Each structure stands twice: as structure tokens, then as C-alpha cells.
Amino acid sequence: MTIEQRRSIVTAIPGPKSVALQERRTAAVAAGVSSALPVFAERAHGAIVVDVDGNQFIDLGSGIGVMTIGHTDEAVVAAASAQLAEITHAMFTITPYESYVRVAELLAEHTPGSWAKKSVLLNSGAEAVENAVKIARHYTGRAGVAVLDHAYHGRTNLTMAMTFKAMPYKTGFGPLAPAVYHVPGSYPFRDGLSGTDAAARTITYLEKSIGAKDLACVVAEPIQGEGGFVVPAEGYLAALQEWCTANGVVFIADEIQSGMARTGRYFASEHFGVEPDLVLSAKGIAGGLPIAAVTGRAEIMDAPHAGGLGGTFAGNPVAAAAAIAVFGEIERRDLLAEAGRIEGILKPALLELQKSYPIIGDVRGIGAMLAIELVQPGTKDPHPAAVPALTAFAAQHGVLLLSAGTYGNVIRFLPSLAISDELLREAIGVLQEGFASL
Ligand code: PLZ
């Protein structure tokens, strides 16, 4: 299936069919599951999503960074379809199959660090985080888990405790898992600290408040996703990793949002010169099919006893086939370079926009993972109200935009690496009109 790569709005947004579906949805779907837009998607290809009313949107969110190589990518569809008809499920812990092994080999090859690596495959990002913590605890014989302020690691009981923001993720859902410690990280726009000073602050908390001897792991997103695309100051992550290594603490990079070619490297850790002990991937790894992984140093990964890791659907053959296709396409189409192309167009445009609109306090990010943080002009006070105004304007004009941030004042850009220059420029034009309309 191909869809013409063009924006086209032919009804009111939401259109009549979406409105009708929204009524059914409200009656049948739990209220706790909310959607950014009451627009029902029907088909998608490349960088375009088509709704049930025939409206075509330029997708700058990619289902939160999942459709990195493009919607319904031909290679992914072909590989998954073929696998579906060959064997749909076997359960790796009963009768193993090659594609699981191949995904583990590819992850070993493409994650940072030249040491022997092993992987476990899971279904979701949160499950990867949970398993990384289990592995780190087993390896170290310690319980403590340290996470950074503004982090997002998931919605399961342990990962909910690891996530920073109470609303909407934690409020009313406790009690939360114990032995999870939140420590300040590096947020250059807000803390103004150098990487060295921010790391010194983090390390003081780790040493004085938790104590290295009780700490199994430090889990950090190299670029924070839901927290607002916070890029740490130079040297921060390297100093943090150095401290972890010196103290026998497992350093875990949650690359679930920042990984798999999104920033122009396979994993964003590479931009910061860090080689994490364990790397977590999910989202973009399989072109939309659910699969996730913990990959890392063989001696750490091998710590848990046989039978200690697994899951019914974990590393499902169809999802694994899709993941192999994604790795293949990243190489074949040199998609790492596409992230740089997107940054080269989008970042200067956002910086230009900032000159006209002082509500844009900060422009940041790397590759196809960029964001703007909105503030009350002349201050750093968050301006969350402008975000829904802009995303609604964009949707009315055929552009899907995502918000983010602890303060809800960030607009993030996660376009597919398959988006053309023309579509990207057109979407930027809509964003400009959106700012003018505020
Ligand atoms: N770690 C860094 O970004 C998922 C959450 C969307 P799952 N982020 C999007 C929502 O509202 O649920 C994420 C992430 C990082 C872990 C996760 C969790 O991944 O696949 O959603 O479990």
C-alpha cells in the first residue's frame, strides 16, 4: 500500500466518522486511556497518516518515535507478513527460533561498547526497564535503583516508581515499588549547570543519600523523552558512568525513545561518549511491532539463573522478523544520515522562529529528536497553555504534533526518517502560522 505523501484536510477536524467512533469509544474504552486527538487513524505510509474521514496528516510524532523508518515500511511489512504465515508464535523458552537469536546478534553489533554482549527480548519498553533492574540486582546482589529527575521509564509498578511525574502516571496508583531513588540530573536550560557541576550534584545524592553499597544500578535516558527532550550538559553522562564503574553500580541507558537511529547514531549514548553496561531498546526497533530488549555486558546479562527471564510473547517471531528488517533498512538506506538531514532543516527553522517568538525559551535536541520549550516571554516560567493551542492548530491544519515535559510546556518533533524535505518544510510552515495565531 502506498499513500501519496501530501497533506490534505477535507473535513472538519475531527470529521464525522471520527466523531461517531469517539462516541463508541467513550462508551466502551476505559476513561483512563486518553488520546491526544479525537481523530481515528485508518491507514498510514511513510510520513503520512490518513484518518477515517480521508484527511491526510503530516506525522511529526511517529506514534512517539516508533515509526522511525516510516509507516508501513515495505521491508517491514514483507518480513512480518512472511513470518506471520511461517510461524506466528513458538515461545522462545519452549522451542527457540533463529530470528530471536539474529535480533540479539544485531543488537550486540550496534549497541555501544566492543565487549561481549548478550540480550533478552521483551514486549514493551517498561518490561525492558523491569528486566534490566532484575538483572542488575541479581548481578550486584544490591537492591537500590537510582533514576534522574524528569525521567520516564514506564507505567508498570516498578517503572511507575521510576518515572518522575505524579500526574498522570502515579497519582492514585500506589503503593509504589520500594528502593527507587530520584536524584537530580542535568537540565541545562533550567539549572544552568555545567556537566561537571551537574554530575557532582548527582553523585553527592548517590553517595550521601543512598550510598553506593546499596545501589544496584543508575538508570538514565541519554536524552530524556517524556520529560521534555532534555539533553544533558557536556560531560554529564560520562562523569556519571565513571562514578558507576568505580563503585560497582550498573549503568543502564534507557534508549527506548532516543535509540535506533533517531538521533543519527544507532544509540544516543554515542553522542555523549558513553558505553553503558546495559542498553534498553523498544519503540523504533521493529517498525511498529511490539518488541523490546535489554542488551549488555555478557557477564552482567548472564547473572540470572536459567529460567529467571522470559515471557509468553517476549521476542515473538513476527516482531523479531520486523526488527531484522528495520536493521536492514537502516543500513541499506543509510538512515543514520537522514536524521542529520532532518536536523539540518528543522533546527535552523526552530531557531529562526525563536527570534520572532520569545515564548520559545529553548530549542534543543539531536537529529530527528528535537523540541522547543515554551515559557512566559522574558522568563523561564513554563507556558503550558500555549502547547495545546499549538497542537490543536496544527491538527486542524493537517500536522500531528506531540507535547512533552514535566511542565507540559514542550513541543517535541519525532518525524520519521523517511519524511521528505518538502513535507518537513510544509509542516514548519503550519507551525509558523500556529505561532502567528497565538
Ligand atoms: N522508557 C524512555 O520513552 C515510553 C509512553 C507513552 P512502553 N514512552 C512513551 C505513554 O503514555 O504510555 C518509554 C520511554 C522511555 C520507557 C518507556 C516505556 O515504554 O513501551 O510504553 O512500556
Side-chain angles (χ1 to χ4, degrees), residues 1 3 13-15 17-19 21-22 25 35-45 48-57 59 62-63 67 71-72 400:
M1 176 186 63
I3 291 168
I13 302 295
K17 288 182 180 168
S18 276
V19 171
L21 280 168
Q22 182 68 13
R25 174 235 174 96
S35 300
L37 265 185
V39 166
F40 283 72
E42 189 173 74
R43 297 176 296 136
H45 189 69
I48 295 288
V49 172
V50 187
D51 76 4
V52 287
D53 292 288
N55 298 298
Q56 301 207 166
F57 297 86
D59 187 3
S62 304
M67 307 314 298
H71 285 279
T72 57
L400 300 180

Side-chain angles (χ1 to χ4, degrees), residues 64 124-126 129 152-155 221 226 254 256-257 283:
I64 316 200
S124 68
V129 177
Y152 183 92
H153 297 296
R155 294 176 182 269
E221 299 157 86
E226 302 305 304
D254 179 344
I256 286 162
Q257 196 156 160
K283 291 195 188 287

Side-chain angles (χ1 to χ4, degrees), residues 225 335 365:
L335 290 178

Side-chain angles (χ1 to χ4, degrees), residues 5 46-47 67-71 73 333 335 338 341-342 415-421 423:
Q5 295 296 292
M67 307 314 298
T68 309
I69 74 164
H71 285 279
D73 176 83
R333 284 151 58 193
L335 290 178
E338 296 301 296
R341 168 181 66 84
I342 289 165
S416 150
L417 301 177
I419 194 170
S420 68
D421 293 2
L423 277 189

